[in-house]
Each structure stands twice: as structure tokens, then as C-alpha cells.
């Protein structure tokens, strides 16, 4: 692991916790919906004590878990993902397929996927790492030997068939490989997708008939590998494009659309509208917004031009509409609030959503600013929110459908919020149909949970 002097993100709301703990029978304020019986897992980097990775993305993964059962909060625990990296084995990037190759030995620090009865933790530079319901590490999962590339931390599960669409990207050709696995984890399709350069492709999208590729201007820069940190940066030279390809398609089937320069870490959802156009709702950054956030976690700034000194809004909700018949692109922001971690009702992945949930962006955290869990109605343009108290930082808000949930927003939002100064955290449960009403319940966690990335709700019956 590359180490430097203590980076800025080691203090404040991103600061790692020093150890693994457990607490049982947690204090609940309000009423936990009894139907929320299962586990909420949230992943994120948590460098081992004494190690100082130069970029927040490079810290060893730590899973935080909260057990809910019939209105009780049974336990909280946190566990490092026990990849060989944890024991000091350096990941081998030269021979990624070897026993200590990065495919098997990565931080596992980004997201959680529940699919085919397995709980997988994902980081985009390697195989998933399987864990148990008690947060114990099982080991790397490579789809029975069928996966030969890294796997994105943002695979998409078809809500109707359970089919899993995902990709791997890397810094050497093939830069992008598309995979489809069945609901029982057999990889039935893999295709290399030709790309002009190695771009940072953190997310993608599916629609009912298509796969959507984001070829955006944050590129791998070999020169940056000589310096500590993550070797990607914004490039004014890279031509930004969005690709639309039929599901189960191949490289020659991709239809590319030129778009305005912008970067997206996360897609909320994509779908086909009544006219058959592909609509993508995502959080998009301009160059200044990207650089502001990127350098805040240890990334290298834009080297093409001087960093913009203009105030930046960070990333905000943005919509692209791609017309496959005419080739026309329409794109515009849906709001100007800086947000991240867009989520939707996963039962509508690729099928169309009216509501997108998100949290206001903590990076960089302005101490006077209060952060919020927000809900967008993309039909009316309305944004509603649950404002947190000063000093509280929200994590991704995961949508869980209600047991009798018929409407798209009939369900709950789960978000771990932490207060850095008070060393405390809560799991909030909000009614997704009315976030302004405030939490229906909050579960007191034994201490703060470092700001991290993505989570998943794993219901008992699932
Ligand atoms: Fe992500």
C-alpha cells in the first residue's frame, strides 16, 4: 500500500475508526417498522491503524452492519474485510490473476450486493469478496472461475429476471468488458467493448432493452502512477460520450452519443421513455466540481488547465435524453443542489422511475452548512428533504420497499448518519413517501461510522 504523510481525510467525518466492536440491543427512538427484519450493511474504506493510503479510495474495506428484527435493533458490528491485504500482503498489479493478484486481493471497500443468496462486497479493481450475514469474510468470488476481469462496484440486477449485468474496466486493453450472469450466477455473456482510452468508469446503467456506457473525461494517466494517490484525472482532451448497446450486445452494437463535458460517479436510474428514447438520471459534475471533490479525497487535480477558482456546485442531479432514432441528445440539470449517492426503488431498475433519493454532498464539508437526505420528484421537479442537525453527515439512503408497497415511493429509506464531533451515529429510517416528516425511527449506534460509500438491505426472507 502506498503511504504518505497523514492525509487530510484522516480527520473529520471521513476519519477511520481504530478497531472492531459490537453492541447489542440498541436504543431505538420512534417505532421501527416490524417488517424491516433483516440486515443493513454499509461498506467503506477504513485504513488499518498506522497505514496512510494517499487516496481515500485505497483504504482497506470495513463493513458496518445493523440487525433489525420485528421492531428491535438486535446488534451493530463493524468488521474489516479480511482480504490478504489486511495481513500486509501487497496486491500484485503486474500479475492480476496470480494468487495475490489484485483480482483476488483488493480492498473490497465500495459496495454490497445481495444476489443469488450471496452477500458480496465489491471494489471495482477486482473480484467480489463474499461475506456472511455476521460480517465474516468468506473469500473472493469469481462466479465459479468464469469471471476473468475485475467487476464494477455497481452491477445492475434486472428486477424481473434476477439477471446480473456488470462490467470490468482496467488501465490496459481491454479497457472495458461487459458481462451478464444469470440469476443463479452463471456468466452467459462476456464481450470486450472497444474504448479509445482508459477512463474511470465507476457506474453504468441498464434499461429494459439496453446497456448504457459512460465514456467520460476522467482518464488514467500513467505519469500519475509515479506519485502517491489514484492515477486518474480530468482531461480536457478526452471526448465525452455515452454509449447505448442492446443487452447481451457486443462492441460493434454500441451507438455513441457525444455529450457535454461532465463526470458521473453514480447513476440513479435509466429507462426508455414513451418515445423509446433512453433517459439517464445521474449525478454529474463539471470540471471545477469534479476537481473540488476529487482532490478532497486525495485525487490529482486537472493538469490540463489551472484549477477553476470559481465557486463550484459539486455534482448535481442531471438528465440526459438520447434519441436512438434521430441521434439527438438533450441534456440539462434537474437541480443545482450538490448531492451524491443517488438511489431509486431497485424494483424499478431500468424500468423507469419518478423518484430519485440522494444525500447532500459532504465534500467538501462547509461547517456552516446543514446536510440533508433529499428526494426528487423528476416529474414535477420538486425536491423535498429531511434536514439533519448541524455537524451530522448522512450516508447513502437505501430504499427498501414496504411489505405492502404498491407505489414506487411506498417504502423506507435507511441511512447511517454520523456526527464527527460527538463521536456518535444513528441509523435513520425515513418514510420514503414523505421524507419531510422526519425519521419514523432512529437507532443509536455505539460510535460514529466513518463516511463511506454504499450499502444494501438484506431482508431475512430474501
Ligand atoms: Fe460508487
Amino acid at each position: 500500500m502506498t503511504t504518505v504523510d497523514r492525509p487530510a481525510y484522516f480527520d473529520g467525518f471521513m476519519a477511520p475508526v481504530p478497531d472492531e466492536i459490537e453492541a447489542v440491543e440498541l436504543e431505538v427512538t420512534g417505532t421501527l417498522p416490524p417488517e424491516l427484519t433483516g440486515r443493513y450493511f454499509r461498506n467503506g474504506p477504513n485504513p488499518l491503524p498506522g497505514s496512510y493510503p494517499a487516496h481515500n479510495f485505497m483504504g482497506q474495506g470495513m463493513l458496518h452492519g445493523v440487525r433489525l428484527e420485528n421492531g428491535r435493533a438486535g446488534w451493530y458490528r463493524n468488521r474489516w474485510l479480511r482480504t490478504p491485504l489486511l495481513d500486509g500482503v501487497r496486491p500484485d498489479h503486474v500479475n492480476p490473476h496470480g494468487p495475490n493478484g489484485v483480482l483476488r486481493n483488493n480492498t473490497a471497500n465500495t459496495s454490497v450486493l445481495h444476489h443469488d443468496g450471496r452477500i458480496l462486497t465489491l471494489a471495482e479493481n477486482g473480484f467480489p469478496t463474499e461475506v456472511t450475514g455476521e460480517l465474516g469474510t468468506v473469500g473472493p468470488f469469481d462466479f465459479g472461475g468464469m469471471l476473468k476481469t475485475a467487476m464494477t462496484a455497481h452491477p445492475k440486477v434486472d428486477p424481473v429476471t434476477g439477471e446480473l449485468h456488470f462490467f470490468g474496466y482496467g488501465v490496459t486493453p481491454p479497457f472495458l468488458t461487459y458481462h451478464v450472469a444469470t440469476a443463479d450466477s452463471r456468466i452467459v455473456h462476456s464481450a470486450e467493448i472497444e474504448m479509445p482510452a482508459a477512463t474511470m468508469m465507476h457506474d453504468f446503467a441498464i434499461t429494459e432493452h439496453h446497456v448504457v456506457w459512460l465514456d467520460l473525461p476522467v482518464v488514467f494517466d500513467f505519469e500519475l502512477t509515479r506519485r502517491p494517490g489514484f492515477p486518474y484525472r480530468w482531461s480536457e482532451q478526452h471526448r465525452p460520450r455515452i454509449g447505448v448497446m442492446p443487452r447481451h450486445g457486443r462492441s460493434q452494437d454500441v451507438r455513441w452519443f457525444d455529450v457535454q463535458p461532465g463526470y458521473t460517479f453514480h447513476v440513479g436510474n435509466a429507462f426508455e421513455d414513451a418515445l423509446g428514447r433512453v433517459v439517464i438520471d445521474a449525478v454529474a459534475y463539471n470540471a471545477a466540481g469534479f476537481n473540488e471533490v476529487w482532490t478532497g479525497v486525495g485525487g490529482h487535480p486537472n493538469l490540463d488547465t489551472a484549477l477553476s477558482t470559481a465557486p463550484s456546485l459539486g455534482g448535481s442531479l442531471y438528465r440526459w435524453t438520447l434519441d436512438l432514432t434521430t441521434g439527438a441528445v438533450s441534456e440539462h440539470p434537474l437541480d443545482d443542489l450538490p448531492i451524491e449517492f443517488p438511489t431509486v426503488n431497485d424494483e424499478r431498475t431500468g424500468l423507469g422511475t419518478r423518484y430519485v433519493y440522494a444525500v447532500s454532498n459532504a465534500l467538501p464539508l462547509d461547517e456552516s452548512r446543514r446536510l440533508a437526505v433529499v428526494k426528487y420528484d423528476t416529474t414535477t421537479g420538486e425536491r423535498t428533504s429531511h434536514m439533519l442537525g448541524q455537524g451530522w453527515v448522512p450516508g447513502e439512503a437505501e430504499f427498501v420497499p414496504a411489505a405492502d408497497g404498491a407505489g414506487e415511493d411506498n417504502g423506507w429509506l435507511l441511512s447511517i448518519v454520523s456526527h464527527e464531533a460527538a463521536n456518535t451515529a444513528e441509523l435513520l429510517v425515513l418514510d420514503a413517501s414523505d421524507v419531510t416528516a422526519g425519521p419514523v425511527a432512529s437507532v443509536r449506534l455505539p460510535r460514529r461510522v466513518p463516511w463511506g460509500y454504499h450499502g444494501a438491505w438484506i431482508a431475512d426472507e430474501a
Side-chain angles (χ1 to χ4, degrees):
M1 189 178 292
T2 308
T3 59
V4 295
D5 294 338
R6 185 183 171 87
Y9 70 82
F10 269 75
D11 298 304
F13 67 100
M14 288 192 280
V17 291
D19 53 9
E20 298 177 338
I21 62 169
E22 185 159 351
V24 297
E25 296 303 332
L26 310 171
E27 180 189 330
V28 177
T29 303
T31 306
L32 273 174
E35 68 188 46
L36 286 178
T37 290
R39 292 156 164 83
Y40 176 66
F41 281 9
R42 212 226 54 205
N43 205 347
N46 196 99
L48 287 171
S51 82
Y52 298 109
H55 192 290
N56 181 253
F57 287 5
M58 293 163 143
Q60 181 69 19
M62 177 179 275
L63 211 50
H64 302 264
V66 183
R67 167 72 178 156
L68 305 183
E69 188 172 5
N70 299 318
R72 290 171 39 242
W75 48 255
Y76 160 86
R77 66 180 65 145
N78 65 308
R79 295 289 182 269
W80 270 290
L81 278 316
R82 303 193 118 66
T83 65
L85 206 66
L86 193 81
D87 300 316
V89 177
R90 284 169 180 271
D92 183 352
H93 292 267
V94 178
N95 177 20
H97 294 272
N100 289 319
V102 67
L103 288 179
R104 289 170 196 291
N105 184 20
N106 58 77
T107 59
N109 71 7
T110 309
S111 66
V112 181
L113 169 69
H114 185 234
H115 184 252
D116 186 23
R118 284 186 195 85
I119 307 169
L120 302 174
T121 59
L122 303 163
E124 65 199 33
N125 61 344
F127 294 154
T129 296
E130 185 176 352
V131 297
T132 70
E134 275 62 52
L135 285 72
T137 301
V138 177
F141 177 70
D142 64 0
F143 293 80
M146 298 175 83
L147 182 61
K148 309 291 186 192
T149 71
M151 178 171 176
T152 173
H154 291 291
K156 302 290 179 262
V157 180
D158 182 296
V160 178
T161 63
E163 196 173 62
L164 188 67
H165 294 255
F166 61 101
F167 64 93
Y169 82 94
V171 302
T172 54
F175 295 131
L176 175 63
T177 309
Y178 168 54
H179 302 284
V180 183
T182 57
D184 60 354
S185 301
R186 284 177 297 114
I187 292 184
V188 290
H189 180 76
S190 292
E192 293 178 8
I193 309 296
E194 257 179 70
M195 299 288 287
T199 59
M200 185 166 73
M201 198 178 288
H202 184 67
D203 200 353
F204 80 131
I206 59 171
T207 69
E208 188 179 355
H209 300 101
H210 298 102
V211 174
V212 177
W213 302 116
L214 303 171
D215 180 19
L216 301 176
V218 172
V219 301
F220 173 73
D221 182 341
F222 183 76
E223 283 303 309
L224 295 179
T225 63
R226 302 175 200 279
R227 297 159 55 182
F230 214 61
Y232 286 84
R233 63 176 178 84
W234 185 283
S235 167
E236 301 289 345
Q237 277 78 47
H238 189 82
R239 176 180 161 196
R241 307 180 304 167
I242 295 180
V244 178
M245 182 187 85
R247 286 192 184 197
H248 296 255
R250 299 191 173 276
S251 191
Q252 61 267 29
D253 306 323
V254 184
R255 178 110 180 257
W256 291 102
F257 296 80
D258 286 336
V259 295
Q260 294 298 313
Y263 188 74
T264 285
F265 288 101
H266 297 120
V267 172
N269 200 12
F271 54 91
E272 294 155 34
D273 70 8
L275 301 173
R277 298 176 303 183
V278 170
V279 179
I280 305 141
D281 289 340
V283 176
Y285 295 75
N286 62 20
F290 175 84
N291 279 310
E292 187 173 33
V293 168
W294 189 235
T295 51
V297 289
H300 300 286
N302 183 352
L303 302 181
D304 292 339
T305 56
L307 257 177
S308 169
T309 53
S312 157
L313 291 173
S316 57
L317 194 63
Y318 198 83
R319 173 170 283 187
W320 288 280
T321 303
L322 312 177
D323 191 321
L324 296 167
T325 308
T326 65
V329 175
S330 129
E331 54 181 300
H332 60 278
L334 295 177
D335 192 28
D336 60 4
L337 181 75
I339 55 161
E340 251 306 343
F341 301 142
T343 53
V344 297
N345 181 338
D346 289 337
E347 294 181 348
R348 304 288 308 159
T349 298
L351 298 177
T353 33
R354 174 174 177 174
Y355 303 108
V356 179
Y357 311 95
V359 295
S360 55
N361 203 348
L363 278 168
L365 182 63
D366 172 349
E367 282 173 22
S368 67
R369 204 171 83 203
R370 287 173 62 198
L371 300 173
V373 177
V374 299
K375 174 187 182 181
Y376 290 98
D377 180 335
T378 62
T379 302
T380 64
E382 184 189 29
R383 180 215 318 145
T384 52
S385 58
H386 168 59
M387 295 291 296
L388 303 180
Q390 199 144 22
W392 288 90
V393 176
E396 180 186 67
E398 169 79 10
F399 180 89
V400 182
D404 57 355
E408 184 193 320
D409 63 346
N410 191 196
W412 315 103
L413 293 175
L414 305 186
S415 170
I416 290 180
V417 300
S418 279
H419 194 290
E420 64 181 66
N423 188 28
T424 188
E426 294 177 354
L427 173 67
L428 298 190
V429 180
L430 295 158
D431 179 345
S433 69
D434 183 8
V435 297
T436 59
V440 297
S442 61
V443 177
R444 179 75 177 260
L445 306 182
R447 69 175 173 196
R448 57 177 282 277
V449 172
W451 183 83
Y453 304 137
H454 307 283
W457 170 254
I458 300 153
D460 273 12
E461 74 266 25

